[in-house]
Amino acid sequence: MEYFSSRATVRTFDPARHIAEETLREIVEKAAHAPNTGNMQLYSVVSTRDRGMKAKVSKLHYDQPAAKGADVLLTVCADTRRFDAWCEARDAQSGLNNFGGRLSAVVDASIFAQQIVTIAEMTGIGCCYLGTAMYNADDFCELLHLPEGVIPVVGIAMGYPLHEEAKGSDRLPPDAILHEETYSDYTPADIDRIYKEKESLPESEGFIKENSKSTLAQVYADIRYPAELNKAVGEKMLRQMKAGE
């Protein structure tokens, strides 16, 4: 249990240590035992090791330091194409070539990705999620030759940590997340209590100051995840999800 309460994202990797191919395959094999929709395993993962390809994939992740310095870059994809091909080869008509089917694949891919990260970290490999895979979904499809029905969901930068990372990230308390029996909406007093610790952190105060904002919520809403960005990502993913309908 200590692993889960103290884990931390790793963004700086040791360039002298490399993840063996058999280690990566073992991680993927174990991660494939994750729960999934109807045991169809509607996901795939593309690994990138080649220096030239890593540079191209990293660029699509906006050259984030974790992406540039990773030993291996993974692109975890929702994948209904494999199931469709199976049906084509076995005189069956796939029912997944639509938004609902691909939504199930996105859920499967998300669970699979977390399983990869957990297993890798428990074996001493550092990981960093790269949500920017969805930001440039069309470009990832082109670069990685992803056919229709295969949609990039998340990237994972992997490698052995260069140094010991600070353990544990700030998280909201359980009563901010857990609702008993029915959903309880948040009052202003609840918000004050739930976000008090997060807002009082020195780094939070620094974020507010460096972005010329007055609250941490403004930093998230106006700078990090503005409506324009989310709408653009949503439109790209929606095109991928609805293709073929």
Side-chain angles (χ1 to χ4, degrees):
M1 295 299 289
E2 184 179 350
Y3 158 77
F4 290 99
S5 61
S6 63
R7 71 152 302 278
T9 294
V10 173
R11 295 181 175 85
T12 307
F13 305 102
D14 187 345
R17 298 186 66 191
H18 303 287
I19 301 170
E21 180 63 27
E22 56 268 26
T23 299
L24 180 59
R25 293 184 68 85
E26 184 178 6
I27 290 170
V28 169
E29 180 183 5
K30 290 180 178 179
H33 287 277
N36 64 89
T37 303
N39 201 26
M40 292 183 289
Q41 296 182 258
L42 303 176
Y43 51 73
S44 288
V45 57
V46 180
S47 65
T48 304
R49 290 178 177 271
D50 175 79
R51 184 185 298 272
M53 278 295 288
K54 279 201 296 184
K56 293 177 182 179
V57 172
S58 177
K59 185 176 181 180
L60 294 182
H61 286 301
Y62 303 108
D63 281 332
Q64 297 176 63
K68 292 182 69 175
D71 183 44
V72 179
L73 285 171
L74 299 183
T75 306
V76 181
C77 304
D79 185 350
T80 59
R81 172 58 195 152
R82 184 177 59 248
F83 182 84
D84 292 345
W86 182 43
C87 289
E88 292 168 7
R90 297 293 184 269
D91 193 28
Q93 182 67 46
S94 172
L96 299 180
N97 192 21
N98 50 63
F99 182 85
R102 289 175 181 172
L103 182 59
S104 293
V106 169
V107 173
D108 279 11
S110 301
I111 297 171
F112 176 60
Q114 181 54 52
Q115 200 86 327
I116 287 175
V117 168
T118 298
I119 295 168
E121 290 179 341
M122 294 183 89
T123 59
I125 295 171
C127 296
C128 178
Y129 271 118
L130 302 168
T132 36
M134 290 195 299
Y135 290 26
N136 292 309
D138 297 338
D139 293 324
F140 270 98
C141 287
E142 181 178 355
L143 178 64
L144 301 180
H145 299 173
L146 305 182
E148 183 177 319
V150 183
I151 306 168
V153 174
V154 68
I156 305 173
M158 302 177 70
Y160 288 98
L162 182 61
H163 48 72
E164 186 73 17
E165 298 286 331
K167 293 298 181 182
S169 301
D170 69 277
R171 292 292 188 264
L172 297 177
D175 63 351
I177 302 165
L178 179 62
H179 299 256
E180 297 181 359
E181 309 303 339
T182 60
Y183 189 95
S184 300
D185 204 0
Y186 301 96
T187 66
D190 291 332
I191 295 299
D192 288 344
R193 173 176 49 82
I194 289 168
Y195 284 93
K196 181 179 180 180
E197 182 175 352
K198 186 180 187 73
E199 292 176 333
S200 64
L201 294 171
E203 53 264 40
S204 296
E205 296 175 359
F207 294 150
I208 294 169
K209 184 176 181 179
E210 69 188 35
N211 288 286
S212 301
K213 296 295 180 180
S214 57
T215 69
L216 184 62
Q218 290 175 357
V219 174
Y220 277 83
D222 299 341
I223 305 297
R224 291 188 171 183
Y225 304 101
E228 295 78 10
L229 171 63
N230 290 300
K231 288 177 181 178
V233 172
E235 288 171 359
K236 292 178 182 178
M237 290 296 290
L238 190 59
R239 285 199 302 271
Q240 296 287 338
M241 297 278 282
K242 297 186 73 173
E245 289 191 354

